[in-house]
Amino acid sequence: MTGAIIATCFLFLGLIFQKIPGFPIARLTKWVQAYLIQIVLPALALLYIPEIKPTWGLLIPISSAWLTFLLSWLLFGWLGKKFDWGKNTTGCLIIVSGLANTSFLGFPVIEGLYGKAGLPTALLIDQGGSFLIVSSLSILVGSLYGNHSESLAKVPMKILKFPPFGFLVGTLLMSLFELKTPEFLIPLLQLVGKTMPPMALLAIGLKFSVDMDSLASRFFWYGLGYRLILAPAVVWLIYRNWLPADSLDLKVTVLESGMAPMITGSIVAMQFGLNPKLASLLSGLGMPISAGSLVVWYYLLG
């Protein structure tokens, strides 16, 4: 609870900085984004991914995050091209709406509704799904749709140079070969990991602005509609055939699919210049709005 309060304070701090005349918003935003992408994400990879013991049974909940991201890419990629939304807006919707806030929002919600019994499944979905995607596929989308879009031949090198991706590959190999992160590094990695929520919300606050035009934007409601309604509905329709209808695994998988857009996803979108205002609005306003939809899903799932 204390962490959530501190993180929320950082959101308001970002909003306050916006109002200070002459405050170097652009420089601070760039610094915060670089810190999150180049330091926090690699630290989290090293902290959590080696702890995942790969088995075929894990693929069912983990695959839900990959399914909803790929569906977002297919849907918004097609709609954006058909209706000429522009590459920046299309790429923003693919990344931000394609990734659910499965950790910062997801963990406390799942624990509050189902107790600690629901956390292992939530952790798998976050680390094996959302985290891997934001460190890999989201960079591919950003490279293709961003302000400095690359040719397909150059995209692999851009992904390889992206700091979290190198750590992702390394930690996946550690997981496969059952190599643990050195114990002496754990306290430092945990400390860095704890800075993720406040710094991410600071980045959102520095870009966040709400006006009637933004709230009336169809792109905002397309993105939230996909993330909060369509994505969990698709997951429920498909995964109830693989998991028992009353199982905790199914309930957690569906609810995690219905979380608000992922803050880190919006940071990546901003990093590539993918409609930063829309990105910050989706992840910022998405959290309070998702409270209502999550309650509905909770009762629908029994």
Side-chain angles (χ1 to χ4, degrees):
M1 179 62 75
T2 303
I5 293 172
I6 293 173
T8 304
C9 290
F10 271 75
L11 172 65
F12 286 108
L13 186 63
L15 296 173
I16 292 169
F17 285 156
Q18 284 192 46
K19 304 298 182 183
I20 300 176
F23 191 86
I25 291 288
R27 191 187 312 164
L28 180 59
T29 300
K30 187 175 180 180
W31 181 87
V32 172
Q33 290 177 5
Y35 172 74
L36 287 166
I37 296 295
Q38 298 180 25
I39 297 177
V40 177
L41 286 184
L44 289 174
L46 197 54
L47 182 63
Y48 289 117
I49 292 179
E51 298 299 316
I52 297 176
K53 297 178 181 178
T55 64
W56 290 113
L58 300 181
L59 293 179
I60 295 178
I62 287 174
S63 65
S64 63
W66 293 85
L67 171 68
T68 54
F69 185 86
L70 292 173
L71 180 60
S72 172
W73 195 347
L74 179 67
L75 177 64
F76 290 122
W78 175 72
L79 289 173
K81 189 171 183 179
K82 180 177 177 63
F83 296 105
D84 195 23
W85 289 349
K87 295 182 74 173
N88 282 185
T89 296
T90 302
C92 175
L93 287 171
I94 292 171
I95 294 176
V96 184
S97 298
L99 288 161
N101 194 334
T102 48
S103 56
F104 175 58
L105 179 64
F107 291 168
V109 168
I110 295 301
E111 185 175 7
L113 295 176
Y114 300 116
K116 292 190 181 298
L119 286 179
T121 303
L123 183 65
L124 285 174
I125 294 169
D126 180 68
Q127 297 301 310
S130 304
F131 186 80
L132 297 189
I133 296 167
V134 81
S135 302
S136 55
L137 288 186
S138 72
I139 310 310
L140 175 59
V141 174
S143 299
L144 295 174
Y145 288 85
N147 287 336
H148 305 289
S149 298
E150 307 282 354
S151 68
L152 283 175
K154 294 181 180 179
V155 169
M157 187 54 64
K158 190 162 188 175
I159 294 175
L160 290 173
K161 289 180 178 179
F162 187 65
F165 186 77
F167 276 83
L168 172 64
V169 173
T171 52
L172 282 174
L173 291 173
M174 290 173 68
S175 174
L176 288 171
F177 292 103
E178 298 184 359
L179 300 174
K180 300 296 183 183
T181 301
E183 285 293 327
F184 73 91
L185 286 177
I186 299 297
L188 176 60
L189 296 174
Q190 289 175 335
L191 181 62
V192 173
K194 286 179 180 178
T195 66
M196 163 64 91
M199 296 303 286
L201 283 178
L202 174 61
I204 295 297
L206 292 170
K207 288 285 187 180
F208 189 78
S209 63
V210 181
D211 52 59
M212 291 309 297
D213 288 340
S214 299
L215 292 177
S217 168
R218 67 186 191 277
F219 300 121
F220 173 70
W221 294 106
Y222 288 165
L224 274 194
Y226 174 80
R227 185 69 268 162
L228 304 184
I229 300 173
L230 182 59
V234 169
V235 168
W236 177 74
L237 285 170
I238 294 175
Y239 285 73
R240 65 177 179 166
N241 298 306
W242 295 344
L243 298 168
D246 59 347
S247 71
L248 184 58
D249 280 347
L250 178 64
K251 293 175 182 179
V252 172
T253 301
V254 174
L255 274 185
E256 283 281 54
S257 299
M259 295 294 164
M262 185 185 195
I263 295 175
T264 315
S266 69
I267 301 298
V268 171
M270 290 184 217
Q271 187 92 340
F272 283 95
L274 299 174
N275 202 330
K277 186 174 183 179
L278 177 61
S280 64
L281 202 62
L282 282 169
S283 55
L285 271 185
M287 284 190 285
I289 293 175
S290 69
S293 61
L294 288 171
V295 169
V296 173
W297 279 113
Y298 174 69
Y299 283 105
L300 286 176
L301 291 167

